[in-house]
Amino acid sequence: MALAVDSVGGPVVARLLELLSDGDGLVSYSWARTNPCGSTPRHWSGKHLTVRGFFVATSTTANKVVPVIREAAPLVPTAPSLSPVAGVYPLEHIQDAVQHLLRGGKILLKVAGR
């Protein structure tokens, strides 16, 4: 199962829905665009998609999220897209992937033959 995560909104949501396959899901947690997502039944009908949404900018959520972001931010490399991938593991070898991660390096999980 693939999961698309959106925090932008607008036309990108329709494109994400087009890319998803049967049984996949979409989580939308904010929006940065004022125009509608433009989704029509052709994007999702017959795919059995799960779509969930929530908004992170409520005062109660912000009080919980901001401290976590402050704690996590120093753990992110300054250029994560430039960090080399140290290993790619199929999901059935998750234990090996976790051990590699604990030793250091960026790892990727290969899920469902994708």
Side-chain angles (χ1 to χ4, degrees), residues 1-3 19-22 24 109-114:
M1 179 178 111
L3 176 66
L19 293 171
L20 292 172
S21 299
D22 189 45
D24 291 345
L109 291 175
K110 186 173 182 177
V111 182
R114 293 182 183 196

Side-chain angles (χ1 to χ4, degrees), residues 4-10 12-13 16 26-33 56:
V5 179
D6 168 63
S7 66
V8 178
V12 72
V13 175
L16 288 171
L26 168 73
V27 173
S28 183
Y29 64 90
S30 187
W31 63 88
R33 308 282 306 244
V56 296

Side-chain angles (χ1 to χ4, degrees), residues 22-109:
D22 189 45
D24 291 345
L26 168 73
V27 173
S28 183
Y29 64 90
S30 187
W31 63 88
R33 308 282 306 244
T34 57
N35 48 337
C37 71
S39 174
T40 65
R42 74 177 175 86
H43 295 124
W44 42 263
S45 64
K47 288 188 177 182
H48 306 98
L49 299 177
T50 300
V51 178
R52 300 276 190 231
F54 63 95
F55 189 59
V56 296
T58 65
S59 59
T60 56
T61 306
N63 292 336
K64 295 174 185 174
V65 171
V66 170
V68 173
I69 292 172
R70 285 192 178 125
E71 182 180 341
L75 303 174
V76 178
T78 55
S81 62
L82 300 178
S83 299
V85 174
V88 179
Y89 294 87
L91 192 56
E92 57 269 15
H93 292 127
I94 186 71
Q95 294 88 356
D96 296 332
V98 170
Q99 290 303 313
H100 190 155
L101 184 62
L102 293 173
R103 289 190 308 270
K106 180 165 71 173
I107 59 123
L108 300 176
L109 291 175

